[in-house]
Amino acid sequence: MQKTEAAAEEAEAGVAVPAGADDVPVRDWPRFWPLLLGAAVLSGPVLFVVSRWMDQPAMQAWRTVCLAITIQAVPFLLLGTALSGAINAFVPARVFSRMLPRRPVLAVPVAGVAGVVLPGCECASVPVANSLISRGVTPAAAFAFLLSAPAVNPIVLTATAVAFPGSPAMVLARLLASLATAALMGWLWLWLGREEWLRPAVRHTGHRPGHSRWNEFRRGFQHDFLHAGGFLVLGAMAAATFNVAVPRSVLDAFSGSPWLSVLFLAALAILLAVCSEADAFVAASLTGFSPTARLAFMVVGPMVDLKLIALQAGTFGRAFAVRFSTATAVVAVVCSVLIGGILL
């Protein structure tokens, strides 16, 4: 009350009262001036140091690698998320169930091959698989599609061919290793999977009656692109940092051993969580490693990474996510080594 009366007296006396001043005691205002003055004084030197630091040769190399990976990958990420959004909005979920054979053993490889012609990012594959299960598709086939769709769709294979020019064997090796991993994991679920591990939550995908398909496409595309684009930028920054900051002696310690290099890049793919439409460009930048190790990076990444583990845990339960992700990583590494050893 006293503060309000004081402000009124100052207004009547012609003294300007700052907006919001009634929320802060008058006696506290002098405390802000040193902070403002310090920020004004320090901003110049900080900007000068940052600009000089960014002009260092190492930072110039970092910027070059980061921008190169991002610029190369963005068109494929844009096209892939647009196609994924279109399928989610315009293709009914019953189409997937009608495409699959009734026998689960045969439905698994068919679902894996369906990923070749039905593009989608790994973020969208989890809710799509959940939708398929809720509509009667056997979980083994849904999981095979979950693994194959983000790894072997046309956008990813085209991006791989662009990232590895003149190396069609790398594209073929990625296709075969990813399909083999998806099929083996589907069959493994048929053999060892248990219903108590799988607790699917109801999560809607596809078109909802009464809603505009174009609005659903726009919202889905916007969400997928911004979400995956953020991981792309982080992955590009991590790859650039890896190329610039990691000493050559450390790389030689891993790259000199065939098994250590494969395991190292497989673990790196899990941690970086790069979108499948862009991971080929990150793998191509890791020139110190063998083709088989880079193949493992591209096969493991779209099937097992930190964001996928979180999505699977939230959708199917932690018991499923831990077992399924661990088994998928092992199978993906083995398939990459076997097929890479033959083709690369």
Side-chain angles (χ1 to χ4, degrees):
M1 185 67 180
Q2 295 177 354
K3 184 173 61 178
T4 304
E5 293 176 354
E9 292 176 358
E10 290 181 354
E12 292 175 358
V15 178
V17 180
D22 55 344
D23 297 329
V24 180
V26 175
R27 62 179 180 273
D28 289 345
W29 274 94
R31 298 180 183 179
F32 292 97
W33 291 109
L35 296 177
L36 296 175
L37 181 62
V41 171
L42 293 177
S43 60
V46 169
L47 291 176
F48 176 77
V49 172
V50 170
S51 63
R52 292 292 299 273
W53 179 57
M54 292 296 291
D55 288 334
Q56 296 296 322
M59 289 306 302
Q60 291 179 355
W62 184 89
R63 284 184 297 175
T64 301
V65 174
C66 183
L67 288 176
I69 295 173
T70 303
I71 292 173
Q72 280 184 307
V74 162
F76 296 97
L77 180 62
L78 185 66
L79 182 58
T81 51
L83 289 175
S84 176
I87 290 173
N88 184 65
F90 297 109
V91 178
R94 62 179 179 272
V95 172
F96 297 97
S97 59
R98 291 178 179 177
M99 291 172 53
L100 300 176
R102 293 183 179 273
R103 296 185 60 184
V105 175
L106 299 178
V108 167
V110 173
V113 174
V116 177
V117 295
L118 295 175
C121 71
E122 56 266 35
C123 300
S125 63
V126 175
V128 169
N130 182 47
S131 177
L132 294 176
I133 295 173
S134 65
R135 293 171 187 255
V137 176
T138 178
F143 297 149
F145 179 82
L146 181 152
L147 296 177
S148 68
V152 298
N153 68 70
I155 308 302
V156 171
L157 296 180
T158 303
T160 306
V162 174
F164 292 89
S167 181
M170 180 64 78
V171 181
L172 179 61
R174 180 173 193 176
L175 172 64
L176 296 179
S178 299
L179 285 178
T181 302
L184 288 174
M185 285 304 302
W187 287 325
L188 191 62
W189 176 264
L190 285 177
W191 181 32
L192 299 176
R194 298 179 181 177
E195 289 295 332
E196 57 265 26
W197 296 345
L198 186 61
R199 299 190 181 97
V202 177
R203 182 178 298 182
H204 174 77
T205 57
H207 173 65
R208 290 177 292 177
H211 292 74
S212 170
R213 293 182 182 272
W214 287 106
N215 286 336
E216 290 180 344
F217 165 74
R218 178 182 56 82
R219 287 195 295 266
F221 165 71
Q222 180 180 357
H223 173 270
D224 289 346
F225 181 76
L226 293 178
H227 183 76
F231 284 106
L232 166 62
V233 173
L234 291 177
M237 295 172 64
T241 303
F242 180 82
N243 278 273
V244 173
V246 177
R248 175 57 59 181
S249 58
V250 176
L251 294 180
D252 292 340
F254 287 99
S255 60
S257 172
W259 278 104
L260 284 179
S261 62
V262 170
L263 295 177
F264 179 77
L265 287 194
L268 187 66
I270 296 174
L271 295 175
L272 292 185
V274 183
C275 182
S276 60
E277 280 90 356
D279 61 356
F281 299 98
V282 177
S285 69
L286 303 173
T287 55
F289 290 86
S290 66
T292 300
R294 288 186 282 176
L295 174 64
F297 179 89
M298 294 186 292
V299 174
V300 173
M303 298 183 178
V304 186
D305 61 33
L306 293 180
K307 68 177 184 297
L308 276 176
I309 295 173
L311 286 171
Q312 291 175 8
T315 304
F316 302 115
R318 284 182 294 180
F320 167 83
V322 171
R323 293 174 172 86
F324 191 77
S325 298
T326 303
T328 302
V330 174
V331 173
V333 169
V334 172
C335 290
S336 300
V337 170
L338 294 178
I339 295 177
I342 296 173
L343 297 180
L344 304 178

